[in-house]
C-alpha cells in the first residue's frame, strides 16, 4: 500500500483501544475493497502513520491476524513470519495478495513455515488461511532477511520494502548530480532512507532540513543514517494539512507515482502542489521524475518560473521558483 490508500482513515486502533473480552486482532495493510470484509483490528502497517510496529509485538499475543501481503519476496516473507510469531498457537492467519503480486506464492511460503493452508480465490486475489501450528520452521531466517540492514551499494541503513531499498534510484542519482548550492531551511519530501538528505546536509549553508516520509521503515533508517543536529525526521503524509512547516527556502523531492502497485500520476502532482504551499515566495523546488510523468502543468500552475535542468536515462530534473 502506498500513500493515497490512507487518505480519510481515522487514527489506527492500538492494543490499548481493545476492551476486556475483545479478541486481539491484528491487521497489516489495507485489502482491496470487495476481497474481504474490512476487519476491525490493531493496524501494524509501516505505511500508516501512528500504526503499531509488528516487529515489537510480543510473541503469542494475538488471537488472529489479517495480512494484505506486500509484493516483494523478502518483505512479504518477513511480514508473514512476524505475523506468525505474534499469533497464539491455534490463532488464525488470513493472508491475501493479488495473484500477480505475490498471491500465487503465498501458499508455498506459508507451507514452508510449517503451516497447513486452506486457499481461496476472489477478485484476482489469492486468500490463504492457516491456524498457527505449535512448531514453526524458518521464521527467524525470514525475519533476519527482511530486517533493517546495511545496504552495501548505498553504505546506508535500509530495509526490504522501502523504495529502492538496496540501491540508488536513477532519478535520485541524477538529481544529486545537478543540485546547486542550497541554503537556509529546506524539506526532503519522501526522503526514503536519506540519500538526498545526506548530500544536502553536506552544504554548510543549509541551516535546517526536515525529512518526511510516510514509510516508518524509511524514517527509522534515516535516523540511523543522518546524524546531524540540523535534521528533523518525521513519519507523516506530506499531504497532511496539519504539518507544521511554512516559508521554506527550498524543497527537494523524488515523488512517488504508484498507489497500491498501480501508477497514479496524481501522487506526484500532489507533492508538487504541497511543495508550493510550503515554500516562501522566491523559494526553489528541485524535482526528479520519470520522463513520461506529466508534472509540467502542476509546476506551471503553482510556480512563477519552471526550468528543465537535465534529461537523461529516462529521467528529468526540474527547478521551479515560487
Amino acid at each position: 500500500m502506498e500513500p493515497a490508500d490512507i487518505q480519510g482513515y481515522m487514527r489506527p486502533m492500538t492494543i490499548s483501544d481493545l476492551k476486556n473480552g475483545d479478541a486481539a486482532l491484528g491487521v497489516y495493510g489495507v485489502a482491496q475493497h470487495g476481497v474481504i470484509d474490512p476487519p476491525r483490528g490493531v493496524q501494524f502497517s509501516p505505511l500508516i502513520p501512528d500504526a503499531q510496529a509488528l516487529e515489537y509485538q510480543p510473541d503469542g499475543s494475538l488471537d488472529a491476524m489479517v495480512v494484505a501481503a506486500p509484493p516483494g519476496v523478502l518483505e512479504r516473507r518477513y511480514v508473514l513470519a512476524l505475523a506468525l510469531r505474534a499469533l497464539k498457537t491455534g490463532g488464525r492467519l488470513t493472508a491475501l495478495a493479488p495473484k500477480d503480486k505475490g498471491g500465487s506464492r503465498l501458499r508455498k511460503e506459508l507451507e514452508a513455515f510449517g503451516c497447513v493452508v486452506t486457499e481461496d480465490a476472489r477478485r484476482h486475489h489469492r486468500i490463504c488461511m492457516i491456524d498457527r501450528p505449535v512448531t514453526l520452521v524458518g521464521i527467524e531466517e525470514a525475519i533476519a532477511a527482511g530486517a533493517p540492514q546495511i545496504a552495501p551499494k548505498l553504505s546506508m541503513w535500509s530495509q526490504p520494502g522501502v523504495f529502492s531499498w538496496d540501491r540508488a534510484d536513477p532519478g535520485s542519482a541524477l538529481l544529486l548530480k545537478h543540485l546547486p548550492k542550497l541554503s537556509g531551511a529546506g524539506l526532503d519530501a519522501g526522503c526514503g532512507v536519506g540519500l538526498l538528505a545526506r548530500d544536502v546536509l553536506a552544504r554548510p549553508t543549509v541551516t535546517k532540513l526536515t525529512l518526511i516520509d510516510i514509510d516508518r521503515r524509511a524514517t527509522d533508517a534515516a535516523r540511523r543514517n543522518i546524524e546531524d543536529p540540523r535534521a528533523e525526521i518525521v513519519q507523516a503524509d506530506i499531504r497532511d494539512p496539519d504539518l507544521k512547516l511554512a516559508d521554506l527556502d527550498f524543497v527537494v523531492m523524488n515523488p512517488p507515482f504508484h498507489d497500491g502497485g498501480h501508477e497514479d500520476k496524481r501522487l506526484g502532482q500532489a507533492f508538487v502542489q504541497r511543495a508550493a504551499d510550503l515554500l516562501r515566495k522566491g523559494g526553489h523546488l528541485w524535482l526528479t521524475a520519470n520522463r513520461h510523468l506529466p508534472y509540467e502543468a502542476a509546476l506551471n500552475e503553482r510556480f512563477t518560473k519552471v526550468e528543465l535542468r537535465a534529461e537523461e536515462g529516462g529521467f528529468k530534473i526540474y527547478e521551479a521558483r515560487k
Side-chain angles (χ1 to χ4, degrees):
M1 189 194 71
E2 297 200 16
D5 292 322
I6 72 161
Q7 283 191 309
Y9 272 76
M10 301 288 287
R11 177 186 67 82
M13 284 183 64
T14 67
I15 295 294
S16 62
D17 292 326
L18 297 173
K19 300 179 177 63
N20 289 335
D22 281 352
L25 171 64
V27 180
Y28 187 97
V30 180
Q32 180 179 308
H33 180 71
V35 180
I36 62 172
D37 292 331
R40 181 182 181 274
V42 178
Q43 179 59 252
F44 288 101
S45 172
L47 296 174
I48 298 180
D50 298 324
Q52 304 288 291
L54 185 56
E55 57 268 37
Y56 299 130
Q57 185 67 20
D59 295 4
S61 59
L62 296 178
D63 296 298
M65 185 85 190
V66 176
V67 173
V73 174
L74 291 177
E75 179 189 8
R76 185 174 60 252
R77 295 184 71 250
Y78 174 76
V79 172
L80 293 173
L82 289 176
L84 288 167
R85 188 176 69 177
L87 281 170
K88 299 175 180 177
T89 298
R92 170 59 60 97
L93 171 64
T94 302
L96 63 149
K99 288 188 288 187
D100 60 347
K101 297 184 184 299
S104 61
R105 299 184 180 184
L106 273 177
R107 181 176 192 133
K108 287 186 177 179
E109 288 171 339
L110 288 167
E111 288 175 341
F113 289 137
C115 302
V116 177
V117 180
T118 300
E119 189 175 29
D120 194 4
R122 193 175 307 146
R123 297 178 70 92
H124 307 292
H125 281 63
R126 295 284 175 83
I127 305 170
C128 291
M129 293 154 285
I130 67 100
D131 294 328
R132 195 251 202 222
V134 175
T135 302
L136 294 167
V137 179
I139 65 164
E140 296 305 327
E141 292 83 354
I143 291 170
Q149 57 197 268
I150 293 287
K153 292 182 179 179
L154 293 173
S155 297
M156 302 178 80
W157 283 95
S158 190
Q159 187 173 0
V162 174
F163 171 70
S164 194
W165 80 273
D166 62 347
R167 65 195 185 284
D169 171 72
S172 294
L174 183 63
L175 180 56
L176 288 173
K177 289 170 56 177
H178 293 277
L179 277 180
K181 179 180 179 180
L182 299 169
S183 60
L187 167 68
D188 181 353
C191 64
V193 302
L195 181 67
L196 293 178
R198 182 173 61 178
D199 185 83
V200 170
L201 288 166
R203 296 158 168 80
T205 50
V206 172
T207 57
K208 182 178 179 180
L209 183 66
T210 303
L211 290 72
I212 293 181
D213 202 291
I214 201 166
D215 191 333
R216 174 179 51 80
R217 298 163 301 184
T219 53
D220 285 350
R223 290 187 183 95
R224 302 176 82 165
N225 295 323
I226 307 296
E227 296 182 358
D228 190 305
R230 297 170 294 165
E232 180 183 9
I233 302 168
V234 181
Q235 185 203 4
D237 186 340
I238 190 64
R239 299 164 299 176
D240 183 349
D242 293 329
L243 284 176
K244 306 300 182 184
L245 288 171
D247 297 321
L248 296 173
D249 297 296
F250 66 88
V251 174
V252 297
M253 64 168 66
N254 181 358
F257 61 96
H258 283 89
D259 170 17
H262 303 287
E263 185 173 302
D264 186 349
K265 302 176 180 65
R266 294 171 299 175
L267 280 174
Q269 292 164 349
F271 267 58
V272 169
Q273 292 164 3
R274 196 72 178 107
D277 293 337
L278 299 177
L279 283 164
R280 63 168 174 80
K281 186 176 181 179
H284 292 255
L285 166 65
W286 283 85
L287 175 148
T288 182
N290 289 64
R291 181 180 291 160
H292 73 282
L293 294 173
Y295 295 156
E296 290 81 1
L299 288 165
N300 286 308
E301 179 182 345
R302 300 299 304 274
F303 292 86
T304 60
K305 185 177 182 181
V306 178
E307 295 185 72
L308 179 64
R309 291 298 190 184
E311 191 167 7
E312 179 183 316
F315 293 87
K316 52 192 177 183
I317 305 297
Y318 283 103
E319 179 190 8
R321 178 180 293 184
K322 184 174 178 180

